[in-house]
Amino acid sequence: MTDTTLDLGPQTRVIARLAEGVREEHMAGPTPCPDYTVRAMLGHILGLTAAFRDAARKDLGGTTDTPPQAGLPELGPGWREELPKLLDELADAWRDPAAWTGMTRAGGVDLPGSVAAAVATDELVIHGWDLARATGQDYAPDPAALQTSHDFLLAAAGDPNRGAIFGPIVSVPSGASLLDRAIGLSGREPDWPRQG
């Protein structure tokens, strides 16, 4: 499902760049996730970044035990400094080959390290698109991360429990880009109108 040589750094840098482009007037605006404003999406990205950093380190506890349905972390006044630091730590943690082996935990679920890496990559790719669309920014995910996200979502397409995490699959034209196919598999409308 994943390539253990995948470097999450290029995708975490994409997220950091998008976060830099968020303006205060964006914060209360909608995102492709109906329940999330931009502020809430940033809080979610902060929380998942810390959780998957700790999952890679096998540092299990509060960050890794929190289920996805739990309340979102508050977005504190220092988030602009905190998020890039956490993203760098996340990428660095997954550069350790030991992160990809054995079992770990994320979202309160025990899973193999390689699967946790695929989930982390998918979260970064899809929520990067969410953030870009919600703030009117261009989005070019890391190609290797995008392929991993697509493959992960495609493998989960037939899982009867996928509805607990993703929305219903959205059909896309046969010639759609890999990004649009991944977005459709995640339960989002690839043509969700850009805001900003």
Side-chain angles (χ1 to χ4, degrees):
M1 182 181 295
T2 61
D3 177 354
T4 57
T5 64
L6 177 66
D7 181 2
L8 274 64
Q11 183 61 26
T12 60
R13 288 191 291 275
V14 170
I15 301 294
R17 180 189 60 77
L18 291 169
E20 282 180 12
V22 174
R23 301 188 305 270
E24 192 57 38
E25 58 264 30
H26 291 139
M27 289 300 206
T31 72
C33 291
D35 296 334
Y36 286 10
T37 62
V38 170
R39 176 179 293 282
M41 178 62 67
L42 287 164
H44 178 61
I45 292 171
L46 268 170
L48 74 87
T49 300
F52 283 101
R53 174 204 61 193
D54 293 345
R57 294 173 176 174
K58 312 291 199 294
D59 183 11
L60 309 183
T63 60
T64 61
D65 291 346
T66 305
Q69 300 82 7
L72 295 172
E74 283 294 319
L75 194 65
W79 73 268
R80 289 188 185 274
E81 295 75 35
E82 183 184 4
L83 182 56
K85 178 177 177 289
L86 281 174
L87 287 165
D88 285 345
E89 290 173 357
L90 170 69
D92 190 55
W94 285 104
R95 289 185 183 112
D96 182 350
W100 298 78
T101 63
M103 297 294 290
T104 189
R105 185 179 309 130
V109 177
D110 293 327
L111 65 173
S114 61
V115 175
V119 176
T121 304
D122 177 63
E123 292 276 334
L124 292 170
V125 169
I126 300 301
H127 290 319
W129 181 85
D130 290 334
L131 190 58
R133 281 292 167 135
T135 57
Q137 300 185 68
D138 292 333
Y139 185 55
D142 171 60
L146 173 57
Q147 187 67 59
T148 296
S149 172
H150 175 269
D151 294 350
F152 170 75
L153 290 164
L154 187 61
D159 184 345
N161 297 319
R162 77 178 298 281
I165 302 171
F166 308 110
I169 292 172
V170 174
S171 296
V172 298
S174 58
S177 69
L178 185 63
L179 178 58
D180 282 357
R181 295 196 311 262
I183 294 304
L185 286 168
S186 76
R188 291 159 171 77
E189 295 281 353
D191 60 355
W192 195 86
R194 269 173 60 151
Q195 308 294 302

